[in-house]
């Protein structure tokens, strides 16, 4: 049986939104244990021209909405306004999570024939739904998730591949 658009999108985004939430929690725990102002991690970036951690989390969460709702033939819901704090990031992730959980597989039936459009920086993307998901939306979501992870690693937050994907398990360092 072929993998449908619902199964290739909603469960994947839900799982990795949970992983993103874990990164936010790890960032706050690190800041708290090091008596560090939250802004140090929230505004940390890998390069001067890259978005900071807080923005990477925000964009990743928003990409889940930008992908799943058009695939279901619906308008993207408002992103909502949340403070640029650890609690605000958690609230945003919870908001997106709840919206995705409300989507039903039946809404995706026939979606393979849809052509979806999105703004990609200054470019306009227009792709058939399967390509939109697999070549545009998922890679962008994982780009921002990976950037958030890399920023935290760069800032000394003790996370690894296990925290990124939830599958790997490695012994603790000596």
């Amino acid at each position: 049986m072929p993998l449908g658009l619902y199964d290739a999108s909603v469960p994947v985004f839900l799982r990795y939104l949970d992983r993103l939430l874990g990164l936010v929690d790890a960032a706050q725990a690190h800041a708290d244990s090091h008596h560090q102002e939250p802004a140090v991690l929230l505004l940390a970036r890998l390069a001067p021209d890259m978005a900071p951690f807080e923005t990477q989390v925000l964009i990743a969460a928003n990409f889940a909405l930008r992908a799943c709702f058009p695939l279901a033939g619906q308008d993207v819901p408002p992103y909502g306004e949340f403070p640029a704090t650890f609690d605000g990031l958690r609230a945003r992730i919870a908001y997106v999570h709840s919206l995705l959980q409300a989507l039903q597989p039946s809404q995706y039936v026939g979606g393979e024939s849809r052509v979806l459009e999105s703004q990609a920086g200054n470019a306009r993307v227009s792709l058939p739904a399967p390509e939109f998901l697999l070549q545009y939306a998922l890679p962008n979501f994982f780009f921002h998730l990976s950037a958030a992870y890399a920023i935290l690693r760069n800032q000394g937050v003790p996370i690894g591949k296990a925290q990124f994907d939830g599958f790997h398990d490695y012994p603790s360092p000596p």
Side-chain angles (χ1 to χ4, degrees):
M1 183 167 148
L3 186 66
L5 289 175
Y6 176 88
D7 291 326
S9 61
V10 173
V12 176
F13 285 112
L14 287 173
R15 175 179 176 72
Y16 283 93
L17 284 169
D18 288 342
R19 307 316 303 164
L20 186 61
L21 180 61
L23 296 181
V24 172
D25 290 344
Q28 182 166 21
H30 183 80
D32 290 349
S33 70
H34 287 80
H35 308 289
Q36 194 176 48
E37 286 296 318
V40 171
L41 290 177
L42 290 167
L43 298 176
R45 54 183 80 221
L46 290 175
D49 64 342
M50 286 185 72
F53 174 75
E54 182 268 335
T55 304
Q56 299 292 350
V57 172
L58 175 132
I59 294 170
N62 291 348
F63 246 103
L65 297 177
R66 290 174 61 187
C68 293
F69 278 81
L71 288 168
Q74 296 187 19
D75 291 335
V76 176
Y79 296 140
E81 293 294 324
F82 300 91
T85 63
F86 291 124
D87 285 340
L89 293 176
R90 280 192 278 280
R92 175 176 299 281
I93 293 167
Y95 169 75
V96 171
H97 203 278
S98 69
L99 289 172
L100 294 186
Q101 284 185 310
L103 292 170
Q104 299 300 311
S106 61
Q107 295 171 292
Y108 287 72
V109 173
E112 295 79 12
S113 64
R114 293 184 183 110
V115 174
L116 305 179
E117 294 190 358
S118 183
Q119 198 66 33
N122 294 327
R124 190 78 181 153
V125 174
S126 180
L127 294 166
E131 286 85 0
F132 181 88
L133 175 62
L134 298 173
Q135 296 177 17
Y136 174 69
L138 282 171
N140 273 281
F141 174 81
F142 282 110
F143 172 86
H144 293 287
L145 175 64
S146 297
Y149 168 86
I151 289 167
L152 295 183
R153 284 289 306 208
N154 182 262
Q155 293 295 308
V157 177
I159 55 174
K161 197 171 185 180
Q163 288 76 29
F164 182 87
D165 71 9
F167 291 113
H168 287 79
D169 185 23
Y170 296 104
S172 297

